[in-house]
Amino acid sequence: MTLYGVGLGPGEADLVTVRGRRILKAADVVYSPGRLSRSVALEHVDESKIGDLDFPMTRDEEKLRTAWKEAAAEIAPNARDGDIAFVTLGDPNVYSTFGHLRRTIHAFHPEVDLEIVPGVSAVTAFATAMGIEIEAGAGLSLREAANGASPTGPDRMILFKVTDAPATHEGLVEAGYEVTYGRRLFMEQGGTLVTDDPGELEERDYYTLAYAEKADLEVEQATAAFTREADAGRSSGSSSDEEASSNEPVADGGKTAEIERAEGCEHGDCGGH
C-alpha cells in the first residue's frame, strides 16, 4: 500500500488537482499537519477521515525530530495496510513540511511506498494572482526573504516568507528594484491582498510573497508588435479589416445575414439586439 504526499494548491479548495482529489477520496486516512491544510482537505473528504498530527511551534531541532519520528510511527502502520494521504498546501516538494516526513519514513520505515501528487504552488500561482507575465526566455530567481532580508542580484525575483515587508522593501528599492507584494494569494483563509505599498503589510504574515524586477529592465517579445499595431488601429478609429468588410459586396443581397439574425434571436442568442 502507499503513502501519498498530496499538494493541495495555494489554498482555494477548487485548485486541488483532479488527481489529488481522487487520491484524497480513495485514501483510508488523510493526515493534516495544520489548520489551513485541514480546512482545504475537508472540502473534499469527510471529517471522520482526517487524522491530525501535532507539530510544536519551535526552532529546537531535537523537539522537531522527535515530533516527526512520532508522526512517522503513527502513519507507517496505516500505510502498510492501506492507502494514506498526507496533505500540504502548495506542492509537497516545494518548501513543504512533507520533506521532513519523507526523510523520516525513509530512515525508519523504508518498507513504506511513497508517491508524490504535485500541487499548484503559490511560487508559480503568484504570476496570475498579481497580474504579472513572466515572458518566454525570461530569467526568474526564487529567494527567501524572511525577517526583512532583501536579496539582490537577479533581474527578476520571486521572494517568499516576506515577514517584514517594510524592511525588505527598503533594501530592494535602494538596489533599483520595483516591487509588488501578494499576501495569501488564492487562499480562502484570509483575504487576498496585492499591493506595491509595504505599509499595507506591516503586520507580519508568513504567507506573503513579493515580485521584484529591476526598474530599468526592458525585454520585448516578438508578438509585442501585434499589441502596438492593434492599439494604433483602434486609436485611428477603424481598422483596415473593418474598411475592407464594409466595402465587400454581398452575393445574395444580404438574405443569409437576415436569416442568421432571425434564427439567432429565435434561439435566444441575440442578446436583446
Side-chain angles (χ1 to χ4, degrees):
M1 310 307 277
T2 305
L3 168 61
Y4 294 91
V6 180
L8 297 176
E12 291 182 356
D14 59 357
L15 288 178
V16 175
T17 66
V18 174
R19 178 181 295 182
R21 187 172 185 272
R22 175 170 58 81
I23 294 298
L24 293 180
K25 287 187 170 297
D28 299 302
V29 183
V30 176
Y31 285 101
S32 166
R35 176 176 54 84
L36 298 182
S37 58
R38 188 181 195 276
S39 67
V40 177
L42 282 172
E43 294 292 324
H44 301 282
V45 299
D46 189 78
E47 190 169 9
S48 61
K49 289 180 64 172
I50 299 291
D52 293 314
L53 298 170
D54 183 30
F55 298 107
M57 297 295 291
T58 179
R59 293 181 181 272
D60 188 314
E61 291 189 355
E62 189 58 38
K63 290 182 179 179
L64 290 171
R65 282 194 289 265
T66 298
W68 283 109
K69 286 174 67 175
E70 291 175 352
E74 177 178 339
I75 291 173
N78 292 326
R80 284 193 292 265
D81 297 334
D83 287 333
I84 304 301
F86 181 94
V87 296
T88 178
L89 291 181
D91 184 281
N93 277 346
V94 180
Y95 296 99
S96 167
T97 56
F98 183 75
H100 296 296
L101 178 62
R102 176 178 55 78
R103 286 184 287 272
T104 308
I105 288 285
H106 179 74
F108 296 99
H109 309 279
E111 74 282 0
V112 173
D113 292 329
L114 290 119
E115 184 174 326
I116 306 295
V117 180
V120 178
S121 171
V123 170
T124 52
F126 86 94
T128 297
M130 298 164 75
I132 295 167
E133 179 189 3
I134 307 300
E135 306 92 340
L140 180 67
S141 295
L142 176 63
R143 304 293 175 88
E144 183 174 333
N147 301 317
S150 301
T152 59
D155 291 336
R156 297 179 180 87
M157 296 184 294
I158 175 66
L159 310 176
F160 66 103
K161 296 183 181 179
V162 184
T163 54
D164 189 344
T168 294
H169 188 83
E170 183 178 356
L172 291 173
V173 171
E174 287 180 358
Y177 287 93
E178 295 178 346
V179 193
T180 305
Y181 299 89
R183 172 165 289 179
R184 297 192 170 237
L185 303 178
F186 292 110
M187 293 184 70
E188 295 175 346
Q189 309 86 351
T192 292
L193 175 64
V194 175
T195 180
D196 57 6
D197 180 5
E200 296 186 47
L201 302 168
E202 290 185 354
E203 182 180 348
R204 293 179 175 237
D205 192 312
Y206 175 87
Y207 297 103
T208 302
L209 298 174
Y211 174 70
E213 181 178 295
K214 287 287 184 65
D216 57 355
L217 185 63
E218 293 184 7
V219 178
E220 182 171 298
Q221 299 295 308
T223 48
F226 298 153
T227 302
R228 288 196 302 272
E229 292 169 2
D231 290 342
R234 280 189 285 269
S235 65
S236 67
S238 64
S239 69
S240 59
D241 289 342
E242 290 172 341
E243 292 172 356
S245 63
S246 64
N247 297 324
E248 185 176 345
V250 180
D252 62 359
K255 293 180 180 178
T256 300
E258 291 297 332
I259 292 172
E260 288 176 348
R261 283 197 292 269
E263 288 182 345
C265 285
E266 180 181 350
H267 295 290
D269 296 328
C270 64
H273 298 294

